Short mmCIF file of all heavy atoms in Angstrom, two decimals:
data_model
loop_
_atom_site.label_atom_id
_atom_site.label_comp_id
_atom_site.label_asym_id
_atom_site.label_seq_id
_atom_site.Cartn_x
_atom_site.Cartn_y
_atom_site.Cartn_z
N LEU Z 382 -134.95 -21.19 -24.10
CA LEU Z 382 -134.61 -21.22 -25.52
C LEU Z 382 -134.34 -22.62 -26.04
O LEU Z 382 -134.34 -22.84 -27.25
CB LEU Z 382 -133.38 -20.35 -25.77
CG LEU Z 382 -133.51 -18.85 -25.54
CD1 LEU Z 382 -132.22 -18.15 -25.93
CD2 LEU Z 382 -134.68 -18.26 -26.30
N SER Z 383 -134.10 -23.57 -25.13
CA SER Z 383 -133.66 -24.90 -25.57
C SER Z 383 -134.67 -25.60 -26.46
O SER Z 383 -134.30 -26.49 -27.24
CB SER Z 383 -133.36 -25.78 -24.35
OG SER Z 383 -134.54 -26.02 -23.61
N ALA Z 384 -135.94 -25.23 -26.37
CA ALA Z 384 -136.95 -25.84 -27.24
C ALA Z 384 -136.86 -25.33 -28.66
O ALA Z 384 -137.40 -25.95 -29.58
CB ALA Z 384 -138.35 -25.57 -26.67
N SER Z 385 -136.17 -24.20 -28.86
CA SER Z 385 -136.11 -23.58 -30.19
C SER Z 385 -134.70 -23.51 -30.76
O SER Z 385 -134.54 -23.42 -31.98
CB SER Z 385 -136.66 -22.14 -30.12
OG SER Z 385 -137.93 -22.10 -29.52
N VAL Z 386 -133.69 -23.53 -29.89
CA VAL Z 386 -132.30 -23.29 -30.30
C VAL Z 386 -131.40 -24.28 -29.58
O VAL Z 386 -131.63 -24.58 -28.40
CB VAL Z 386 -131.89 -21.84 -29.90
CG1 VAL Z 386 -130.42 -21.60 -30.19
CG2 VAL Z 386 -132.75 -20.82 -30.61
N PRO Z 387 -130.35 -24.80 -30.23
CA PRO Z 387 -129.37 -25.59 -29.48
C PRO Z 387 -128.70 -24.73 -28.41
O PRO Z 387 -128.13 -23.69 -28.71
CB PRO Z 387 -128.36 -26.01 -30.56
CG PRO Z 387 -129.11 -25.92 -31.85
CD PRO Z 387 -130.06 -24.77 -31.68
N THR Z 388 -128.82 -25.15 -27.16
CA THR Z 388 -128.31 -24.33 -26.06
C THR Z 388 -127.39 -25.15 -25.16
O THR Z 388 -127.46 -26.37 -25.10
CB THR Z 388 -129.47 -23.78 -25.19
OG1 THR Z 388 -130.21 -24.87 -24.67
CG2 THR Z 388 -130.37 -22.88 -26.00
N ALA Z 389 -126.55 -24.42 -24.44
CA ALA Z 389 -125.64 -25.03 -23.47
C ALA Z 389 -125.33 -24.00 -22.40
O ALA Z 389 -125.55 -22.80 -22.60
CB ALA Z 389 -124.36 -25.51 -24.15
N MET Z 390 -124.80 -24.48 -21.28
CA MET Z 390 -124.45 -23.57 -20.18
C MET Z 390 -123.11 -23.95 -19.59
O MET Z 390 -122.75 -25.13 -19.51
CB MET Z 390 -125.52 -23.61 -19.08
CG MET Z 390 -126.84 -22.98 -19.47
SD MET Z 390 -127.92 -22.73 -18.02
CE MET Z 390 -127.05 -21.39 -17.17
N LEU Z 391 -122.39 -22.92 -19.15
CA LEU Z 391 -121.17 -23.09 -18.35
C LEU Z 391 -121.44 -22.50 -16.97
O LEU Z 391 -122.12 -21.49 -16.83
CB LEU Z 391 -119.99 -22.34 -18.98
CG LEU Z 391 -119.57 -22.72 -20.40
CD1 LEU Z 391 -118.39 -21.86 -20.83
CD2 LEU Z 391 -119.23 -24.19 -20.49
N PHE Z 392 -120.89 -23.15 -15.94
CA PHE Z 392 -121.00 -22.65 -14.58
C PHE Z 392 -119.63 -22.27 -14.04
O PHE Z 392 -118.64 -22.95 -14.32
CB PHE Z 392 -121.63 -23.69 -13.65
CG PHE Z 392 -123.07 -23.99 -13.96
CD1 PHE Z 392 -123.48 -25.28 -14.22
CD2 PHE Z 392 -124.01 -22.97 -13.97
CE1 PHE Z 392 -124.81 -25.56 -14.50
CE2 PHE Z 392 -125.34 -23.23 -14.25
CZ PHE Z 392 -125.74 -24.54 -14.52
N VAL Z 393 -119.60 -21.18 -13.26
CA VAL Z 393 -118.38 -20.74 -12.58
C VAL Z 393 -118.55 -20.99 -11.09
O VAL Z 393 -119.61 -20.72 -10.51
CB VAL Z 393 -118.11 -19.25 -12.85
CG1 VAL Z 393 -116.97 -18.74 -12.00
CG2 VAL Z 393 -117.81 -19.03 -14.33
N ARG Z 394 -117.52 -21.48 -10.47
CA ARG Z 394 -117.56 -21.89 -9.06
C ARG Z 394 -118.03 -20.77 -8.13
O ARG Z 394 -117.63 -19.62 -8.25
CB ARG Z 394 -116.17 -22.37 -8.63
CG ARG Z 394 -116.05 -22.74 -7.16
CD ARG Z 394 -114.79 -23.50 -6.85
NE ARG Z 394 -113.60 -22.88 -7.42
CZ ARG Z 394 -112.42 -23.48 -7.51
NH1 ARG Z 394 -112.28 -24.72 -7.08
NH2 ARG Z 394 -111.38 -22.84 -8.02
N ASN Z 395 -118.88 -21.16 -7.20
CA ASN Z 395 -119.39 -20.27 -6.16
C ASN Z 395 -119.03 -20.92 -4.82
O ASN Z 395 -119.70 -21.84 -4.37
CB ASN Z 395 -120.90 -20.12 -6.32
CG ASN Z 395 -121.55 -19.28 -5.23
OD1 ASN Z 395 -120.92 -18.93 -4.25
ND2 ASN Z 395 -122.83 -18.99 -5.40
N PRO Z 396 -117.97 -20.48 -4.16
CA PRO Z 396 -117.48 -21.20 -2.97
C PRO Z 396 -118.45 -21.21 -1.80
O PRO Z 396 -118.41 -22.11 -0.96
CB PRO Z 396 -116.19 -20.44 -2.61
CG PRO Z 396 -116.34 -19.10 -3.23
CD PRO Z 396 -117.12 -19.32 -4.48
N THR Z 397 -119.34 -20.23 -1.72
CA THR Z 397 -120.32 -20.21 -0.63
C THR Z 397 -121.55 -21.04 -0.95
O THR Z 397 -122.27 -21.47 -0.04
CB THR Z 397 -120.78 -18.77 -0.34
OG1 THR Z 397 -121.53 -18.27 -1.45
CG2 THR Z 397 -119.58 -17.86 -0.09
N GLY Z 398 -121.82 -21.23 -2.24
CA GLY Z 398 -123.05 -21.89 -2.64
C GLY Z 398 -124.27 -21.00 -2.53
O GLY Z 398 -125.38 -21.40 -2.88
N ILE Z 399 -124.09 -19.77 -2.04
CA ILE Z 399 -125.21 -18.86 -1.82
C ILE Z 399 -125.53 -18.09 -3.10
O ILE Z 399 -124.63 -17.64 -3.81
CB ILE Z 399 -124.89 -17.87 -0.69
CG1 ILE Z 399 -124.72 -18.62 0.64
CG2 ILE Z 399 -125.96 -16.80 -0.56
CD1 ILE Z 399 -124.25 -17.76 1.78
N SER Z 400 -126.83 -17.97 -3.39
CA SER Z 400 -127.26 -17.18 -4.54
C SER Z 400 -128.56 -16.47 -4.18
O SER Z 400 -129.19 -16.78 -3.17
CB SER Z 400 -127.47 -18.07 -5.76
OG SER Z 400 -127.72 -17.30 -6.91
N HIS Z 401 -128.95 -15.49 -5.00
CA HIS Z 401 -130.13 -14.66 -4.71
C HIS Z 401 -129.96 -13.96 -3.36
O HIS Z 401 -130.91 -13.80 -2.59
CB HIS Z 401 -131.42 -15.48 -4.75
CG HIS Z 401 -131.85 -15.84 -6.13
ND1 HIS Z 401 -133.03 -16.48 -6.41
CD2 HIS Z 401 -131.25 -15.64 -7.33
CE1 HIS Z 401 -133.15 -16.66 -7.71
NE2 HIS Z 401 -132.07 -16.15 -8.29
N SER Z 402 -128.74 -13.52 -3.09
CA SER Z 402 -128.40 -12.87 -1.82
C SER Z 402 -127.16 -12.03 -2.04
O SER Z 402 -126.33 -12.35 -2.90
CB SER Z 402 -128.13 -13.94 -0.76
OG SER Z 402 -127.34 -13.43 0.30
N PRO Z 403 -126.99 -10.95 -1.26
CA PRO Z 403 -125.75 -10.17 -1.39
C PRO Z 403 -124.50 -10.99 -1.10
O PRO Z 403 -123.40 -10.58 -1.49
CB PRO Z 403 -125.94 -9.06 -0.34
CG PRO Z 403 -127.41 -8.93 -0.16
CD PRO Z 403 -127.96 -10.32 -0.34
N ALA Z 404 -124.65 -12.14 -0.43
CA ALA Z 404 -123.49 -12.98 -0.11
C ALA Z 404 -123.03 -13.83 -1.30
O ALA Z 404 -122.02 -14.53 -1.20
CB ALA Z 404 -123.81 -13.89 1.07
N GLU Z 405 -123.76 -13.79 -2.40
CA GLU Z 405 -123.37 -14.51 -3.62
C GLU Z 405 -121.95 -14.07 -4.04
O GLU Z 405 -121.62 -12.89 -3.98
CB GLU Z 405 -124.37 -14.12 -4.70
CG GLU Z 405 -124.25 -14.77 -6.02
CD GLU Z 405 -125.40 -14.28 -6.90
OE1 GLU Z 405 -125.27 -13.19 -7.50
OE2 GLU Z 405 -126.44 -14.95 -6.93
N TYR Z 406 -121.12 -15.04 -4.48
CA TYR Z 406 -119.71 -14.69 -4.68
C TYR Z 406 -119.05 -15.65 -5.66
O TYR Z 406 -119.38 -16.83 -5.74
CB TYR Z 406 -118.96 -14.75 -3.34
CG TYR Z 406 -117.49 -14.48 -3.44
CD1 TYR Z 406 -117.02 -13.19 -3.72
CD2 TYR Z 406 -116.56 -15.49 -3.26
CE1 TYR Z 406 -115.66 -12.92 -3.82
CE2 TYR Z 406 -115.19 -15.24 -3.36
CZ TYR Z 406 -114.75 -13.96 -3.64
OH TYR Z 406 -113.41 -13.71 -3.74
N ALA Z 407 -118.11 -15.11 -6.41
CA ALA Z 407 -117.18 -15.92 -7.21
C ALA Z 407 -115.84 -15.21 -7.19
O ALA Z 407 -115.77 -13.99 -7.34
CB ALA Z 407 -117.68 -16.07 -8.65
N ALA Z 408 -114.77 -15.97 -6.99
CA ALA Z 408 -113.43 -15.38 -6.92
C ALA Z 408 -112.99 -14.88 -8.28
O ALA Z 408 -113.38 -15.43 -9.32
CB ALA Z 408 -112.44 -16.42 -6.40
N GLU Z 409 -112.17 -13.83 -8.28
CA GLU Z 409 -111.74 -13.24 -9.54
C GLU Z 409 -111.02 -14.25 -10.43
O GLU Z 409 -111.24 -14.29 -11.65
CB GLU Z 409 -110.84 -12.04 -9.27
CG GLU Z 409 -110.44 -11.29 -10.54
CD GLU Z 409 -109.65 -10.02 -10.25
OE1 GLU Z 409 -109.92 -9.39 -9.20
OE2 GLU Z 409 -108.78 -9.69 -11.05
N ASP Z 410 -110.16 -15.08 -9.85
CA ASP Z 410 -109.45 -16.08 -10.65
C ASP Z 410 -110.42 -17.05 -11.32
O ASP Z 410 -110.21 -17.46 -12.47
CB ASP Z 410 -108.48 -16.88 -9.77
CG ASP Z 410 -107.25 -16.06 -9.37
OD1 ASP Z 410 -107.06 -14.95 -9.94
OD2 ASP Z 410 -106.49 -16.51 -8.49
N ASP Z 411 -111.48 -17.43 -10.61
CA ASP Z 411 -112.47 -18.33 -11.20
C ASP Z 411 -113.27 -17.64 -12.30
O ASP Z 411 -113.61 -18.25 -13.31
CB ASP Z 411 -113.42 -18.85 -10.11
CG ASP Z 411 -112.75 -19.84 -9.19
OD1 ASP Z 411 -111.65 -20.32 -9.52
OD2 ASP Z 411 -113.33 -20.14 -8.12
#
Side-chain angles (χ1 to χ4, degrees):
L382 294 184
S383 65
S385 308
V386 175
T388 59
M390 290 193 70
L391 301 180
F392 293 124
V393 172
R394 176 167 48 193
N395 177 351
T397 67
I399 295 174
S400 187
H401 286 186
S402 158
E405 184 177 84
Y406 177 71
E409 185 174 327
D410 287 349
D411 288 347

